[in-house]
Amino acid sequence: MSGLPATSREWHLVARPQGWPAPEDFALREAPVSAPGEGRILVRNLHFSVDPYMRGRMNDVKSYVDPYALDRPMEGGAVGEVIASEAEGFDVGDHVLHGLGWREYAEVEARHAAKVDACLAPLSYYLGVLGMPGLTAYAGLLEVASFKEGDAVFVSGAAGAVGSLVGQIARLKGASRVVGSAGSDEKVRKLVEGYGFDAAFNYKSGPVKDQLKKAAPDGIDVYFDNVGGEHLEAAISALNVHGRAALCGMIAQYNDTEPAPGPRNLIQAISKRLRLQGVLVGDHYGMQQRFVEEVSGWLRSGEMTYDETVVEGIENGVEAFLGMLRGANTGKMIVSLTR
Ligand code: NAP
């Protein structure tokens, strides 16, 4: 087929990180682009996502997703434009969401791609507020944590993709108090002034337990955990009777080389009849339509604010991922290939 690019640059994992990943664990390589086979489409990726769960896929351990293979392109959410199609229902020029990110061009099985509308929202939103992180926030809070009006909510990682939405959904659904923690004073200001949290603190400025007690003097009913460790322990102490914790992520320990100790105060779960439940976004696709309708309504009306930190250029993909792990992002970290 003429007019197609000859090659595509793609990021490979070349060594399994021990502890914090280093740039040397990755390589940007060039691969030939082939015309799509039957039932497949060729997509020019416009944006791809870098997410915390990808750190887990770099380890060779059994989990809910397979580990990345060495010397193969990494995968992850991406949106792009169809440039060749051998699949019914997909035309050149269509925009699609699919799972073959970390590369410039992707040959995708059409049944694993979903058309998205660039007129309804910027395409990158389908990787964030209207995509996987958004559904995680929505389902984790409303379904897993059984949020109800009047609950006091604490969310960690509150200035990130999931956390910033959890806090705002809680506010919009009538929380009595919304408290968040984040890793810089600037992010803390954003939580209160930009996202409408009632209180927020910088977890690097002092013990989480003390700061949480000050921010939520009457305790909390829901904890949305993105961080684990000291945050989870502090939240268990702050949870009121019949409180619920949605265990969504524990980013504080993703680069640990030894198993992290458990919360030392778990015994409180008995007397306070706490419920601590894991969240996996994949369990909640049944809520997708309700989630998109409600969240896009809040975005349209301006009741919800959404931020992205955009890194330009495929060559900066790994730096964007490492930056996200270090907290360089406010809102969703996106790699854009539109230059
Ligand atoms: P994100 O919050 O946008 O980005 C990660 C953030 O984590 C960083 O910006 C950084 O912010 C914070 N962080 C890094 N190390 C930390 C530490 N030691 N202590 C406290 N905070 C730390 O990422 P996201 O995509 O929204 O994901 C948030 C969490 O949800 C992650 O744990 C992720 O694994 C989880 N998640 C789970 C599911 C699921 O289905 N279970 C789905 C999506 C995401 P600071 O500057 O504030 O430190």
Side-chain angles (χ1 to χ4, degrees):
M1 208 176 284
S2 65
L4 296 185
T7 59
S8 168
R9 286 179 294 168
E10 53 189 37
W11 278 104
H12 290 201
L13 183 70
V14 296
R16 300 213 178 271
Q18 302 298 320
W20 276 85
E24 306 76 66
D25 297 327
F26 308 89
L28 186 60
R29 290 178 173 158
E30 209 156 87
V33 172
S34 40
E38 178 66 29
R40 303 176 75 91
I41 52 180
L42 184 63
V43 180
R44 177 182 167 234
N45 282 339
L46 299 171
H47 311 279
F48 71 84
S49 183
V50 288
D51 298 276
Y53 79 87
M54 292 169 173
R55 176 62 189 87
R57 294 192 70 180
M58 292 169 191
N59 298 332
D60 192 13
V61 293
K62 199 170 159 14
S63 184
Y64 63 98
V65 269
D66 289 337
Y68 289 135
L70 290 180
D71 296 306
R72 298 283 308 144
M74 293 190 289
E75 297 172 358
V79 280
E81 181 182 358
V82 176
I83 58 167
S85 173
E86 291 298 331
E88 211 182 299
F90 289 83
D91 295 317
V92 169
D94 284 347
H95 291 111
V96 291
L97 170 69
H98 63 89
L100 298 183
W102 288 99
R103 66 198 82 185
E104 292 175 299
Y105 295 91
E107 202 227 353
V108 183
E109 223 178 306
R111 66 191 177 95
H112 293 147
K115 282 204 232 181
V116 289
D117 192 339
C119 300
L120 285 184
L123 283 172
S124 56
Y125 280 34
Y126 295 99
L127 300 173
V129 63
L130 296 177
M132 184 279 280
L135 180 61
T136 304
Y138 188 87
L141 181 69
L142 302 183
E143 210 154 78
V144 178
S146 312
F147 170 86
K148 54 184 186 336
E149 203 180 321
D151 279 344
V153 175
F154 170 48
V155 54
S156 54
V162 174
S164 62
L165 302 175
V166 169
Q168 294 187 80
I169 296 167
R171 167 174 58 73
L172 288 160
K173 290 276 185 186
S176 60
R177 191 165 182 78
V178 181
V179 175
S181 67
S184 73
D185 293 345
E186 198 183 325
K187 287 186 181 183
V188 165
R189 251 192 317 279
K190 177 91 199 181
L191 293 182
V192 176
E193 291 167 14
Y195 302 143
F197 283 54
D198 297 293
F201 61 87
N202 180 346
Y203 67 86
K204 293 174 182 165
S205 299
V208 176
K209 191 175 173 186
D210 299 348
Q211 297 200 75
L212 179 56
K213 204 170 170 61
K214 224 166 123 195
D218 297 329
I220 57 172
D221 304 298
V222 166
Y223 173 49
F224 194 105
D225 191 17
N226 287 316
V227 167
E230 187 194 354
H231 273 87
L232 177 57
E233 196 169 288
I236 288 172
S237 288
L239 276 163
N240 295 325
V241 169
H242 295 301
R244 289 89 62 204
L247 307 181
C248 175
M250 299 199 178
I251 196 164
Q253 57 202 56
Y254 292 174
N255 292 309
D256 284 358
T257 48
E258 297 295 329
R264 293 165 299 177
N265 55 352
L266 195 54
I267 195 167
Q268 292 187 28
I270 302 169
S271 54
K272 295 199 278 192
R273 283 85 87 203
L274 303 180
R275 175 157 63 79
L276 283 69
Q277 188 178 325
V279 181
L280 261 196
V281 61
D283 293 345
H284 301 280
Y285 285 116
M287 291 182 97
Q288 175 77 12
Q289 197 180 341
R290 191 179 123 200
F291 146 69
V292 170
E293 278 169 13
E294 199 159 18
V295 169
S296 47
W298 288 326
L299 289 170
R300 263 198 311 276
S301 67
E303 292 168 283
M304 178 179 268
T305 301
Y306 174 60
D307 285 296
E308 290 178 336
T309 300
V310 179
V311 170
E312 295 281 349
I314 188 145
E315 62 282 5
N316 297 316
V318 162
E319 193 39 51
F321 172 71
L322 299 176
M324 179 276 300
L325 289 181
R326 288 193 302 264
N329 58 308
T330 298
K332 179 79 186 93
M333 183 65 101
I334 295 285
V335 180
S336 278
L337 311 180
T338 50
R339 262 196 323 217

